[in-house]
């Protein structure tokens, strides 16, 4: 790891100030994506601004018809949230499948979506529920936030503070877990909230998380696995690597979407 | 260099470290607590698991400076008055190790499973929850038995 200066602000404003003074600096949340790439010397931030002491960035809160989760809330705390298990169990189950128990004890919601790894689970949940990402500057709809592999709408010096998830009556996540890394080879998040139907896919696309409009349209009539029986998605744009071919990934999207629908409607 | 102070196994410690110093390096090289091992150094294997403020974490994927003011427990902090912790004793009794390299991480992870899941653990739960700990001797059979017994012994 290249060396850097380390800063521990206690407010979002201080953190933003530190980022402004360190243009090559990076925010440090749980460190479970950033530290590994720094160890490989694939990233060389001049400064790390640790958000762990910043007040008001953790917790799961019910606000009207939404659940608001602090950006620094650890995966384990989201997975174990009693509120979430009751009102939005499909979202509670998502971080429960990330990595392993020790990783879930450190990794955070904000860190995951700011990184936007094309195989990460949380981007599927955010897009699949139509979440709103709230930063120190503005509110960004999930549809606008995720802009491709490791790319988001976040601007220089912008800090994710919390994420607001609308409570969908039906929602579920299904994932084909890579047995070694624990990442989603393919993961599909489905939800229905009134007329708003969403099918979001992570892991499969070569450009990160995306929605499957053809599935969503087919589900408008009836939100059931049967509605997308026999439907496939094109293999163009599917990721290809030693783990799976584009054809296999496209096939998994259909399989996992049906499984998620079965779970959401059970 | 950065100043860092934390509590390790109940004792207050301080050190001058580069910010890039990993927690596991600080424990092993500054404090000479070499019971915590480095296996893969990529957050996969779990040989480096310690408790940070009572919660299991991979110390190869945390900076020492991130742990400022926190309380760390390592494998060296478990025995008291010359007596092994019940989980350590269960690993000895059931021969829950072969080469022993993964053992400190296994025991620290096992204690975290007990914290989260209680003292009555079935085999499936233990195997599932050991997802983040790899035994390259593949000696899981006795590790699982040891954790089951150790968890029960801790309730006494």
């Amino acid at each position: 790891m290249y060396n850097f200066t380390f800063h521990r602000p206690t407010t979002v404003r201080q953190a933003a100030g530190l980022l402004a003074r360190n243009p090559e600096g990076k925010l440090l949340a749980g460190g479970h994506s950033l530290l590994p790439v720094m160890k490989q010397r694939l990233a060389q931030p001049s400064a790390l601004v640790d958000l762990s002491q910043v007040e008001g960035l953790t917790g799961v809160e019910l606000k009207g018809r939404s659940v608001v989760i602090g950006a620094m809330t650890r995966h384990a705390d989201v997975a174990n949230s009693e509120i979430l298990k009751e009102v939005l169990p499909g979202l509670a189950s998502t971080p429960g499948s990330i990595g392993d128990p020790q990783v879930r004890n450190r990794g955070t919601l904000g860190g995951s979506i700011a990184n936007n790894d094309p195989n990460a689970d949380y981007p599927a949940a955010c897009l699949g529920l139509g979440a709103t990402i709230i930063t120190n500057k503005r509110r960004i709809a999930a549809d606008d936030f995720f802009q491709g592999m490791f790319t988001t709408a976040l601007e220089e010096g912008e800090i994710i503070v919390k994420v607001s998830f609308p409570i969908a009556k039906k929602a579920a996540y299904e994932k084909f877990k890579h047995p070694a890394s624990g990442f989603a080879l393919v993961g599909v998040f489905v939800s229905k909230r009134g007329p708003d139907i969403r099918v979001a896919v992570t892991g499969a696309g070569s450009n990160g998380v995306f929605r499957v409009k053809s599935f969503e349209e087919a589900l408008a009539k009836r939100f059931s696995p049967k509605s997308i029986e026999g439907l496939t998605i094109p293999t163009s744009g599917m990721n290809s690597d030693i783990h799976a071919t584009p054809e296999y990934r496209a096939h998994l999207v259909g399989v996992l979407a049906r499984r998620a629908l079965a779970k959401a409607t059970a | 260099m950065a100043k860092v102070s934390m509590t390790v196994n109940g004792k207050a410690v301080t050190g001058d470290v580069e910010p890039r110093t990993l927690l596991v390096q600080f424990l092993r090289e500054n404090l000479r607590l070499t019971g915590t091992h480095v296996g893969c150094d990529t957050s996969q294997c779990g040989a480096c698991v310690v408790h940070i403020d009572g919660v299991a974490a991979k110390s190869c994927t945390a900076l020492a400076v991130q742990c400022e003011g926190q309380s760390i427990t390592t494998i060296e902090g478990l025995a008291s008055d010359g007596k092994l912790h019940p989980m350590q004793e269960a690993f000895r009794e059931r021969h829950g190790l072969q080469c022993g390299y993964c053992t400190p991480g296994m025991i620290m992870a096992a204690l975290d499973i007990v914290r989260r899941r209680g003292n009555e653990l079935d085999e499936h739960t233990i195997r599932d929850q050991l997802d983040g700990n790899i035994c390259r001797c593949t000696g899981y059979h006795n590790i699982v038995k040891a954790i089951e017994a150790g968890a029960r012994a801790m309730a006494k």
Side-chain angles (χ1 to χ4, degrees):
Chain A
M1 206 185 295
Y2 294 109
N3 221 348
F4 49 86
T5 59
F6 186 75
H7 308 274
R8 270 196 140 188
T10 53
T11 64
V12 173
R13 184 182 280 265
Q14 281 176 13
L18 283 160
L19 275 184
R21 283 194 295 283
N22 294 278
E24 299 295 312
K26 274 214 173 274
L27 295 171
L28 177 64
H32 274 56
S33 298
L34 181 57
L35 294 179
V37 297
M38 287 174 65
K39 282 173 151 190
Q40 293 178 71
R41 297 194 164 183
L42 295 173
Q44 188 181 357
S46 64
L48 285 188
V49 178
D50 178 12
L51 294 175
S52 68
Q53 304 303 302
V54 174
E55 276 177 23
L57 293 187
T58 58
V60 179
E61 213 185 330
L62 196 58
K63 271 201 177 159
R65 273 181 256 174
S66 297
V67 180
V68 180
I69 306 180
M72 283 294 287
T73 313
R74 313 266 184 201
H75 301 328
D77 295 329
V78 176
N80 294 326
S81 160
E82 292 302 326
I83 300 171
L84 212 52
K85 279 196 256 183
E86 198 188 314
V87 302
L88 200 46
L91 176 57
S93 73
T94 304
S97 73
I98 298 173
D100 58 54
Q102 290 90 323
V103 169
R104 294 194 287 274
N105 284 342
R106 300 285 292 172
T108 67
L109 166 62
S112 170
I113 62 173
N115 191 45
N116 194 18
D117 187 298
N119 294 85
D121 300 284
Y122 264 133
C126 291
L127 193 60
L129 281 166
T132 302
I133 289 85
I134 300 160
T135 74
N136 57 335
K137 295 182 177 160
R138 58 191 169 137
R139 301 166 66 91
I140 311 169
D143 286 298
D144 303 321
F145 183 83
F146 300 103
Q147 300 190 339
M149 196 183 280
F150 297 111
T151 310
T152 68
L154 290 172
E155 289 165 1
E156 295 290 318
E158 194 166 13
I159 301 171
I160 303 172
V161 176
K162 51 197 169 184
V163 181
S164 175
F165 295 90
I167 296 172
K169 210 164 183 188
K170 293 171 179 169
Y173 182 59
E174 275 289 315
K175 139 187 202 184
F176 190 99
K177 195 171 179 167
H178 187 290
S181 72
F183 273 101
L185 192 66
V186 175
V188 181
F189 199 104
V190 300
S191 79
K192 175 175 167 55
R193 186 170 55 99
D196 189 16
I197 288 168
R198 286 170 175 263
V199 177
V201 176
T202 188
S206 52
N207 208 21
V209 66
F210 65 94
R211 286 173 70 179
V212 186
K213 297 284 179 191
S214 62
F215 285 14
E216 292 175 359
E217 281 160 21
L219 289 165
K221 286 191 201 94
R222 197 165 154 240
F223 193 75
S224 146
K226 279 218 168 69
S227 304
I228 56 163
E229 202 81 61
L231 286 189
T232 54
I233 67 164
T235 55
S236 59
M238 290 290 109
N239 201 2
S240 179
D241 55 27
I242 58 164
H243 307 302
T245 59
E247 290 75 20
Y248 186 58
R249 281 189 160 91
H251 174 71
L252 278 180
V253 171
V255 171
L256 294 170
R258 286 191 291 276
R259 282 188 196 164
L261 286 162
K263 205 164 150 192
T265 53
Chain B
M1 299 293 266
K3 258 225 163 357
V4 64
S5 43
M6 60 183 91
T7 305
V8 178
N9 298 330
K11 272 189 245 163
V13 299
T14 55
D16 275 312
V17 296
E18 286 187 322
R20 63 179 163 178
T21 307
L22 300 171
L23 176 60
V24 70
Q25 282 175 297
F26 181 68
L27 293 171
R28 289 179 55 86
E29 293 165 24
N30 290 57
L31 305 181
R32 300 281 165 189
L33 293 171
T34 53
T36 303
H37 293 165
V38 180
C40 67
D41 200 16
T42 54
S43 18
Q44 311 269 325
C45 82
C48 66
V49 172
V50 300
H51 296 176
I52 303 176
D53 278 348
V55 172
K58 291 179 168 173
S59 60
C60 77
T61 312
L63 301 169
V65 286
Q66 274 181 287
C67 301
E68 171 68 35
Q70 295 191 297
S71 178
I72 312 297
T73 307
T74 71
I75 190 75
E76 289 93 342
L78 295 186
S80 59
D81 302 327
K83 207 167 164 253
L84 291 178
H85 183 282
M87 189 61 80
Q88 290 175 302
E89 183 57 37
F91 269 70
R92 193 190 67 80
E93 183 82 13
R94 309 275 159 146
H95 198 68
L97 59 142
Q98 289 180 32
C99 82
Y101 200 87
C102 72
T103 314
M106 286 285 179
I107 290 176
M108 300 313 283
L111 296 176
D112 202 58
I113 300 175
V114 175
R115 173 182 73 82
R116 289 179 285 113
R117 299 295 181 100
N119 297 84
E120 288 299 320
L121 300 168
D122 59 40
E123 183 185 340
H124 177 79
T125 303
I126 296 169
R127 285 185 183 269
D128 183 52
Q129 293 297 314
L130 279 184
D131 200 13
N133 293 75
I134 296 172
C135 166
R136 225 40 321 178
C137 309
T138 71
Y140 297 104
H141 191 72
N142 284 357
I143 291 171
V144 172
K145 282 185 171 174
I147 293 175
E148 193 180 350
R152 277 213 187 106
M154 283 169 67
K156 284 178 193 154

